[in-house]
Amino acid sequence: MAQPAKSASEAWLEARAPGFQELPEDDRRAIFDFAFLWSLFEAEIMEANARVDRITEKVDAWVAADPLEADQYDAELAYFRDRYFADGELTYHFPYLDLRKSDHPDLVEAVIQGANNDPRARMLALLMIVWRLRNNLFHGAKWAYHIKGQRENFTHANAILMRVLERHGQLA
């Protein structure tokens, strides 16, 4: 089967963006999908204005309204725990999330280490990780290493966004 033609923007990125040409198609797809899913999440869930305080307010509202069902995100949490915590220590990947003070770094760390398994904390930690992946991608930090090794991060972030949108969005 013939490969679909590349878009003008994809051809331009291949010619000019450092490392993009070596980026496997599956990696590109996960990142492209993330951009669209984040945009839909921000429109449907965050009323076009995502910020840490608003994400926190949404999680708190979900907790108050009905069971959070944080266990629906166990596979994604397991992935991020494996990525960011191993052998009793945070891995070298963890600092690259670049968590800010407002991003609940202590809560994220406690959840990643398994010290806090409260459903609200788990949901908020996952959304903070997705938030940081978004910021690191859209603000350019991921280009420092040519966006290599990110497929699984974005695949799991995409799964979180889709599930949140299905459960809490106003989709048709």
Side-chain angles (χ1 to χ4, degrees), residues 73 76-77 80 121-130 160:
Y73 305 88
E76 292 75 26
L77 180 58
F80 287 118
R122 290 179 10 226
M123 188 75 234
L124 189 54
L126 286 171
L127 287 175
M128 287 301 102
I129 291 168
V130 172
I160 292 166

Side-chain angles (χ1 to χ4, degrees), residues 13-22 142-143 145-148:
L13 286 164
E14 280 187 354
R16 291 171 180 82
F20 189 84
Q21 188 170 12
E22 290 81 36
K142 297 240 176 253
W143 284 104
Y145 41 88
H146 304 162
I147 312 182
K148 289 182 180 173

Side-chain angles (χ1 to χ4, degrees), residues 6 8 21-22 32 37-38 45 50 59 61 69 85 92 102 108-109 114 130 147 152-153 157-158 160 167:
K6 289 185 173 48
Q21 188 170 12
E22 290 81 36
F32 290 156
L37 287 166
W38 177 267
I45 305 292
V59 170
E69 298 183 11
F85 190 72
Y92 73 95
S102 63
V108 173
E109 186 174 333
V130 172
I147 312 182
E152 291 300 315
N153 285 344
N158 292 345
I160 292 166
R167 181 145 173 85

Side-chain angles (χ1 to χ4, degrees), residues 7-170:
S7 68
S9 58
E10 190 171 7
W12 186 93
L13 286 164
E14 280 187 354
R16 291 171 180 82
F20 189 84
Q21 188 170 12
E22 290 81 36
L23 202 59
E25 181 59 35
D26 289 345
D27 292 37
R28 292 179 189 189
R29 182 82 258 154
I31 294 166
F32 290 156
D33 291 350
F34 178 80
F36 281 105
L37 287 166
W38 177 267
S39 179
L40 186 59
F41 169 80
E42 191 156 352
E44 291 291 320
I45 305 292
M46 302 277 70
E47 292 135 18
N49 190 15
R51 296 187 322 251
V52 170
D53 61 326
R54 300 200 69 221
I55 293 170
T56 304
E57 289 170 5
K58 290 293 183 181
V59 170
D60 289 340
W62 299 337
V63 168
D66 55 31
L68 192 54
E69 298 183 11
D71 58 332
Q72 290 184 23
Y73 305 88
D74 283 352
E76 292 75 26
L77 180 58
Y79 167 79
F80 287 118
R81 280 181 168 161
D82 287 345
R83 179 170 176 82
Y84 297 123
F85 190 72
D87 300 322
E89 295 182 0
L90 294 172
T91 68
Y92 73 95
H93 293 292
F94 188 77
Y96 292 103
L97 280 173
D98 198 20
L99 291 162
R100 303 305 197 322
K101 277 200 277 189
S102 63
D103 297 334
H104 308 285
D106 294 337
L107 179 139
V108 173
E109 186 174 333
V111 168
I112 291 302
Q113 292 175 341
N116 185 343
N117 281 309
D118 172 72
R120 177 197 178 268
R122 290 179 10 226
M123 188 75 234
L124 189 54
L126 286 171
L127 287 175
M128 287 301 102
I129 291 168
V130 172
W131 169 251
R132 292 312 309 161
L133 291 173
R134 174 249 186 235
N135 287 345
N136 293 341
L137 177 67
F138 294 155
H139 294 286
K142 297 240 176 253
W143 284 104
Y145 41 88
H146 304 162
I147 312 182
K148 289 182 180 173
Q150 297 299 305
R151 179 188 320 154
E152 291 300 315
N153 285 344
F154 286 107
T155 298
H156 286 88
N158 292 345
I160 292 166
L161 291 171
M162 288 185 289
R163 221 166 285 117
V164 167
L165 283 159
E166 286 172 2
R167 181 145 173 85
H168 303 286
Q170 304 300 313

